[in-house]
Amino acid sequence: MSKGPEGRALPPSEVLLESGRAVFAEAETAQRPTVLGLVVTGHMRPDGGEVTIDGVAEARRLRRALALVDAPDVSEPNGDVRLSAVVAEELMFAGRPCGPRAVRRALDRFGLADRARTPMADLDPGPRVRVLCELALRRPGVEGIVLVSPDRHGGDPEEWWRIACEIAGRGPGVLVIAGKAARTAIFAGPGGGSPGEATPSRAVAGAGEGRS
């Protein structure tokens, strides 16, 4: 799959996402991670190649099954919005109770009760990834998540990669799209990534291996 004239928005890329696996897809520049996320989740049509789910090119089903998480300028929360408001909104999208009590219960489960009033721009990268991914999985019909550019928030890439692996270990497919520096940090350690939780996989043609 590719996007734009001569693949300028997204060069020819291959990604294979499976249930129960965390997959790392390398994409550089400010725009390409979001473009890849939009194409993979069926929100943007590729100009070259196709995206399939269970072997069928069906954009509507992709949009139902895959949640696009924290994509810049597309699905990221406004930096000035408090964490409690983001949780309430996500619970509403999931068709669940979203009043103050429900929000407090959700924050307690994430261990973030003391951060309820924290603006999203000030939330540490690990908790941010955890709460946004976990809440996205509560939406009806969601079978997997596509997390875009968590490396832009700073912090230790291994922290949010471990979170991705933990989530994948419960059954969903998890695609993480980030840059080369993050990939290097994650896979440079002994064994690379988080063996025993989910098998690390590198994706995107020209930057790693994989198929879509």
Side-chain angles (χ1 to χ4, degrees), residues 55-71:
V56 179
E58 189 176 349
R60 183 177 296 178
R61 186 178 169 199
L62 280 167
R63 291 193 295 269
R64 287 198 306 265
L66 296 176
L68 185 65
V69 178
D70 207 19

Side-chain angles (χ1 to χ4, degrees), residues 1-14 26-29 31-33 35-36 39 44-49 204-206:
M1 57 185 165
S2 63
K3 186 69 180 175
E6 300 180 353
R8 284 197 292 269
L10 180 68
S13 306
E14 297 182 353
E26 182 184 315
E28 294 286 355
T29 78
Q31 181 184 21
R32 287 176 181 170
V35 172
L36 178 57
V39 171
M44 181 181 287
R45 181 179 298 178
D47 292 326
V204 180

Side-chain angles (χ1 to χ4, degrees), residues 137-206:
L137 284 170
R138 297 187 182 190
R139 300 174 195 168
V142 169
E143 301 172 16
I145 53 178
V146 177
L147 174 64
V148 180
S149 298
D151 48 338
R152 75 187 189 277
H153 302 302
D156 183 357
E158 291 188 66
E159 181 181 13
W160 46 255
W161 177 248
R162 282 194 298 270
I163 293 169
C165 289
E166 290 169 9
I167 292 172
R170 304 201 308 263
V174 181
L175 174 62
V176 180
I177 305 171
K180 182 178 180 179
R183 190 189 76 171
T184 299
I186 291 166
F187 293 99
S194 305
E197 294 177 319
T199 303
S201 182
R202 302 173 189 177
V204 180

Side-chain angles (χ1 to χ4, degrees), residues 2 14-15 38 47 57 65 80 91 105 129 132 141 149 151 155 160 171 195:
S2 63
E14 297 182 353
V15 177
L38 288 168
D47 292 326
D80 295 331
L91 291 174
R105 287 195 296 270
V129 167
L132 293 178
S149 298
D151 48 338
W160 46 255

Side-chain angles (χ1 to χ4, degrees), residues 26-106:
E26 182 184 315
E28 294 286 355
T29 78
Q31 181 184 21
R32 287 176 181 170
T34 295
V35 172
L36 178 57
L38 288 168
V39 171
V40 168
T41 56
H43 292 281
M44 181 181 287
R45 181 179 298 178
D47 292 326
E50 63 179 8
V51 182
T52 64
I53 180 168
D54 295 333
V56 179
E58 189 176 349
R60 183 177 296 178
R61 186 178 169 199
L62 280 167
R63 291 193 295 269
R64 287 198 306 265
L66 296 176
L68 185 65
V69 178
D70 207 19
D73 301 320
V74 177
S75 62
E76 66 177 345
N78 188 294
D80 295 331
V81 176
R82 292 175 178 174
L83 174 60
S84 58
V86 172
V87 172
E89 184 176 58
E90 287 290 338
L91 291 174
M92 180 185 66
F93 289 152
R96 303 195 178 200
C98 57
R101 290 184 181 179
V103 170
R104 283 196 298 270
R105 287 195 296 270

